[in-house]
Amino acid sequence: MIAPDVKTAIARLRELVEESDVIVPFTGAGISTECGIPDFRSPGGIWTKMRPIDFSDFLASQEARDESWRRRFAMEESFGGAAPGRGHKALASLYRAGKSPGVVTQNIDNLHQASGIAAEHVVELHGNTTYATCLDCGARYGIADLRAVFERDGAVPPCEHCLGHVKTATVSFGQSMPPVAMARAEEETLKADLFIVLGSSLVVYPAAGFPELAKHNGAKLAIVNREKTPLDRIANLVIHAGIGDVMGGAVGVN
Ligand SMILES: [Zn+2]
């Protein structure tokens, strides 16, 4: 059903949450736009104005690597200080109550971890932009440390252990989806008796396959998103409203 108004929607979602044992939330950009983080991929988003740097270009060209880091450090200025919103807090509350084993996310902003969900219980399909790793040996680097060197030398240096390229721990355009995260997302999805999509337009596969899988596996499916999604027709509950208000209201978190 498509909820006729927000009050009915919250009441119905609260019932679904109360009658479920294993709630698996699946989050996209919409939960973080409420915290001031732009949705890069949406129409009008940054990637429609500025061509994303393809993974193969990052590997092939020092210029592309420099530009990629310049953009990353510019992001820090605009939303490096973003904090978890009411939607993130509502999910953290379900997690603490043992109702939810964690969260599957398309976001790279670390806000679920910041809201109190243990890092090992956040399955990140597109990686994480709040730290960097060596593409060859996996060594981890802090963004602030890399920035200091970049500002001094004009480039981020290669890995100090193996001289591999150091890149934000995100999945770039042209880079394959991380197999471990994909397998874990499927595992989590199959545990769910309630699968809640929050702020994802569900147009990108393979990510959009998870709510379909949950539904086919017998879970109830709720979708909270400002715009319609292609999976609205198979959902038990569809809410076209703000995530913080709806999720916060349903779980009782301010
Ligand atoms: Zn390395």
Side-chain angles (χ1 to χ4, degrees):
M1 81 172 240
I2 295 187
D5 60 77
V6 175
K7 202 172 156 224
T8 313
I10 291 173
R12 183 67 191 115
L13 185 58
R14 186 182 300 131
E15 282 170 18
L16 284 177
V17 165
E18 279 168 4
E19 68 196 29
S20 303
D21 295 319
V22 183
I23 300 169
V24 175
F26 178 91
T27 63
I31 194 169
S32 292
T33 51
E34 295 182 5
C35 311
I37 295 178
D39 176 5
F40 291 101
R41 296 173 193 240
S42 71
I46 289 177
W47 294 146
T48 60
K49 294 172 195 146
M50 185 163 61
R51 199 174 70 83
I53 294 164
D54 204 78
F55 186 57
S56 57
D57 294 334
F58 184 93
L59 293 180
S61 142
Q62 181 66 42
E63 211 176 303
R65 289 192 288 278
D66 293 345
E67 174 60 15
S68 149
W69 280 109
R70 252 191 305 277
R71 291 181 186 182
R72 174 61 188 85
F73 298 136
M75 274 167 57
E76 201 67 24
E77 299 301 313
S78 46
F79 54 85
R86 199 175 169 202
H88 296 96
K89 289 175 191 164
L91 298 185
S93 156
L94 289 175
Y95 170 76
R96 277 194 306 271
K99 293 275 280 185
S100 162
V103 57
V104 179
T105 188
Q106 297 176 283
N107 297 340
I108 58 174
D109 53 35
N110 207 55
L111 290 183
H112 288 300
Q113 292 90 327
S115 76
I117 299 180
E120 67 262 35
H121 297 143
V122 181
V123 180
E124 297 173 312
L125 297 176
H126 295 157
N128 188 309
T129 195
T130 63
Y131 60 94
T133 52
C134 167
L135 291 173
D136 292 336
C137 77
R140 189 164 162 155
Y141 294 88
I143 297 291
D145 295 339
L146 296 176
R147 185 177 187 173
V149 180
F150 185 87
E151 280 167 3
R152 191 189 64 206
D153 301 345
V156 162
C159 175
E160 62 192 25
H161 307 289
C162 77
L163 298 180
H165 293 311
V166 174
K167 180 183 165 298
T168 56
T170 50
V171 178
S172 295
F173 285 83
Q175 195 172 5
S176 54
M177 298 291 279
V180 173
M182 288 294 289
R184 285 196 51 214
E186 184 173 327
E187 240 172 69
E188 296 295 303
T189 300
L190 292 173
K191 286 181 200 166
D193 59 3
L194 173 62
F195 194 90
I196 309 181
V197 175
L198 297 154
S200 173
S201 54
L202 299 178
V203 288
V204 187
Y205 279 85
F210 295 111
E212 280 179 337
L213 177 64
K215 180 75 182 174
H216 292 150
N217 192 47
K220 289 188 176 130
L221 174 63
I223 298 177
V224 187
N225 194 54
R226 284 208 174 270
E227 285 81 41
K228 291 179 187 169
T229 83
L231 296 189
D232 286 1
R233 64 191 160 74
I234 64 162
N236 299 79
L237 177 64
V238 176
I239 304 175
H240 294 143
I243 291 162
D245 290 345
V246 169
M247 217 44 226
V251 175
V253 165
N254 290 315

